[in-house]
Amino acid sequence: MASETVLITGASGFVATHIVDSFLRAGYNVRGTVRSKQTANKVRGTFPEYKDKLSFAIVPDVSSAKAFDEVIQGVTGVIHTATPFQLIVKDKERDLLRPAIEGTINLLRSIKRNASLVRRVVHTSSFADMLDMSKGDRPGYIYTEADWNPMTYAQATDINTPDIAAYCAAKTLAEYAAWEFMATENPPFDLVTICPPCVFGPVKNATASLSNLNTSSMEIYRLMAPASQPSHDMPPTLVPAWVDVRDVAEAHLKAFEVPGAGGQRFLVAQGNFNSQQIADILRDRVAEVRDRVPLGKPRSGLGDIFGCDASKSEKVLGLRYRPLEEAVVDAARSFLKLEQVNQCCATL
């Protein structure tokens, strides 16, 4: 394993940084793609103990046809996390769909052309690829790997389609395209896709700040931010399903290592949640923010909503999921550290 190198695209992201950590701790050499030298230096500083096992390649535009031709040389596996994530865009096709789909297919084509050592590609997909947003809370329904988001390309680009729905469609169509590539091109490597819902847990990426937290992390921080007012109503829950970021990282590592994972897609989820549950945990377990957190209706429960069956990931990948309380508390502690950084910068 010491001689194996894996490529991790989009290595500076919230989830990707934890994936980098998992592979480094498992003994792999990691080559990460980032958009600039400045970002590479920030990520490198996150892992000082692995300076001899972590390297970077600058890929400014993942949708460029030959963006990955050089960076995949000599790697035995590729973990593809890079994808555009914007909830407000000017052009859905230009800003969401084409980059997601073309970035994924360009990578797979590059691997087939240039990287004979690659035996597996693990693609970070999303629960958005499974969720049918038109069905709402869908009481009693259980989502599994058999489900697919039904939104089409034409629907996604429609002017009346919300940007969040277009983003979900972009993730779905990128995964569709990846599986279609595997079926039609018959490359010498296999494919695994990982589909997590809202991802909670500690922020580890050096590029993070309180002003640009990823959307899932903001689900927690908006309830404890200094501007929060306990008397305000509880905000709505974005998507009421979640998983810990450290378990998502472990899922990618196991997806690469476990022989039987090849050719499979995995729903990676701990269960359901709502904003009230997060608020209850913050008030109970993080004393520093207790007075900031909205009270809402404590212990009022989840209501009747859909469920997620992640048993396949437990059986095939051997995952054991962390509880919500651990993820929320560890996330909150990491946000408090970022607040301290902000305060220090403000006094300079």
Side-chain angles (χ1 to χ4, degrees), residues 69 83 136 140 146 310:
D69 280 6
T83 191

Side-chain angles (χ1 to χ4, degrees), residues 8-262:
I8 300 179
T9 69
S12 64
F14 168 57
V15 173
T17 302
H18 283 273
I19 296 173
V20 170
D21 185 49
S22 289
F23 276 85
L24 288 172
R25 286 190 290 104
Y28 291 90
N29 298 311
V30 171
R31 183 183 304 160
T33 72
V34 291
R35 292 184 177 181
S36 69
K37 290 183 179 180
Q38 181 182 19
T39 300
N41 290 333
K42 287 183 177 181
V43 181
R44 187 178 287 110
T46 307
F47 302 100
E49 69 275 33
Y50 294 110
K51 61 182 181 180
D52 296 331
K53 298 184 74 66
L54 179 60
S55 61
F56 295 93
I58 309 303
V59 180
D61 181 7
V62 299
S63 62
S64 176
K66 296 185 178 181
F68 298 101
D69 280 6
E70 293 184 9
V71 302
I72 56 176
Q73 299 294 330
V75 304
T76 58
V78 177
I79 315 300
H80 183 44
T81 79
T83 191
F85 185 84
Q86 303 175 71
L87 295 185
I88 300 176
V89 296
K90 292 183 178 180
D91 186 319
K92 297 182 182 70
E93 185 171 27
R94 181 196 66 196
D95 300 334
L96 291 174
L97 282 98
R98 287 182 59 188
I101 298 167
E102 293 175 7
T104 299
I105 295 307
N106 287 339
L107 173 61
L108 295 174
R109 286 172 177 162
S110 289
I111 298 169
K112 185 181 179 184
R113 285 196 309 264
N114 304 290
S116 60
L117 297 178
V118 172
R119 65 176 183 270
R120 178 166 293 171
V121 175
V122 181
H123 174 67
T124 308
S125 295
S126 171
F127 180 59
D129 300 13
M130 302 174 176
L131 181 66
D132 186 344
M133 297 183 71
S134 69
K135 298 290 177 56
D137 289 342
R138 212 172 184 180
Y141 190 80
I142 304 297
Y143 282 98
T144 72
E145 290 83 358
D147 288 291
W148 284 91
N149 178 347
M151 183 168 285
T152 65
Y153 195 101
Q155 290 172 327
T157 56
D158 188 281
I159 191 173
N160 296 314
T161 298
D163 290 348
I164 180 61
Y167 163 77
C168 292
K171 291 290 292 183
T172 305
L173 294 168
E175 187 184 353
Y176 262 136
W179 288 117
E180 184 178 2
F181 176 93
M182 298 302 294
T184 58
E185 298 291 329
N186 192 29
F189 54 86
D190 63 17
L191 175 69
V192 184
T193 59
I194 303 296
C195 303
C198 292
V199 182
F200 298 151
V203 170
K204 189 178 181 69
N205 49 311
T207 55
S209 71
L210 295 176
S211 63
N212 72 345
L213 286 175
N214 61 294
T215 302
S216 290
S217 291
M218 187 54 71
E219 283 278 288
I220 297 175
Y221 188 65
R222 63 179 179 166
L223 295 171
M224 59 172 275
S228 298
Q229 297 293 328
S231 60
H232 282 186
D233 292 335
M234 196 62 59
T237 305
L238 185 62
V239 175
W242 82 279
V243 65
D244 190 291
V245 66
R246 293 159 291 192
D247 296 333
V248 175
E250 182 73 6
H252 283 77
L253 176 64
K254 295 302 183 185
F256 179 65
E257 292 185 327
V258 174

